[in-house]
Amino acid sequence: MRNKEHREALKSALEGIRAPFLFDTEEPLVFNGACVGIDMSTETFNAAVTTVTAALERGYFSTRDPTPLGPGDWARLSCALLAAVGRGYHRQYSTEKESTLDRVRAEIIDPDPLPKNPTLFHRLAAIADDVSTHIGTDQEGYQDCCSRGSRREVAPLEVRTIGDANSPARK
């Protein structure tokens, strides 16, 4: 029952959405919790993935239907997930392994690829780009809202060379 409701909510949310966002894992993810020190079955992991995905897909503010997370919690969870994606992606990188990583990324074919972008890594880049476009900091009123009373004056940085007679290291 819950999966049917989730799929209907997903279908509704996807109406009018750009192509990169039209993605669903379609099959369960294979999870090895031992790699991160967690004793969790693949089934439990996939249930958590479904729950988190459904919560984020409902959005951050109730304009059409109730949301399971408030705006702040939705934003924090979204930031945590996107930051984890970035950390995980960069964790693998090394110049010595660049050709191997290129080959591995090229082998992860998107089952429903975007035009001229055959891999899931292409889709990931397109999703990140679209998220950046939709949640840009140039939103009207954003700068005024965020700068009211929250800006601190920062003293200019004074740079001195090591040989400078007035350097703290010399005093």
Side-chain angles (χ1 to χ4, degrees):
M1 179 73 171
R2 189 177 298 209
N3 275 343
K4 182 180 177 185
E5 290 173 2
H6 170 70
R7 289 201 184 278
E8 287 175 11
L10 176 61
K11 183 179 176 184
S12 172
L14 294 177
E15 291 173 6
I17 297 283
R18 294 181 49 130
F21 296 143
L22 299 175
F23 179 78
D24 189 8
T25 58
E26 293 182 9
E27 55 189 62
L29 303 171
V30 178
F31 178 70
N32 180 357
C35 294
V36 290
I38 297 174
D39 182 21
M40 179 186 288
S41 70
T42 295
E43 293 78 22
T44 302
F45 176 78
N46 279 287
V49 168
T50 299
T51 301
V52 169
T53 301
L56 291 174
E57 286 175 346
R58 292 295 282 209
Y60 63 93
F61 187 76
S62 179
T63 57
R64 293 192 318 186
D65 42 276
T67 59
L69 297 170
D73 289 336
W74 185 91
R76 283 196 305 277
L77 178 57
S78 297
C79 287
L81 290 175
L82 287 173
V85 167
R87 289 189 305 267
Y89 185 84
H90 286 288
R91 178 184 180 105
Q92 310 308 315
Y93 184 78
S94 75
T95 53
E96 299 83 33
K97 302 283 185 184
E98 193 166 346
S99 63
T100 301
L101 294 173
D102 285 344
R103 187 184 88 264
V104 167
R105 287 189 299 266
E107 292 172 355
I108 310 301
I109 303 301
D110 189 337
D112 186 21
L114 299 171
K116 299 181 184 179
N117 295 288
T119 74
L120 285 175
F121 284 90
H122 286 109
R123 181 177 292 275
L124 177 59
I127 291 168
D129 186 55
D130 274 12
V131 167
S132 176
T133 298
H134 292 293
I135 309 178
T137 56
D138 60 348
Q139 297 171 35
E140 188 175 317
Y142 172 83
Q143 295 298 329
D144 293 337
C145 169
C146 292
S147 63
R148 269 186 260 137
S150 64
R151 279 193 154 164
R152 292 185 292 162
E153 290 297 318
V154 178
L157 179 63
E158 189 175 321
V159 178
R160 297 182 183 170
T161 61
I162 293 176
D164 186 346
N166 295 320
S167 162
R170 294 275 192 174
K171 291 185 176 180

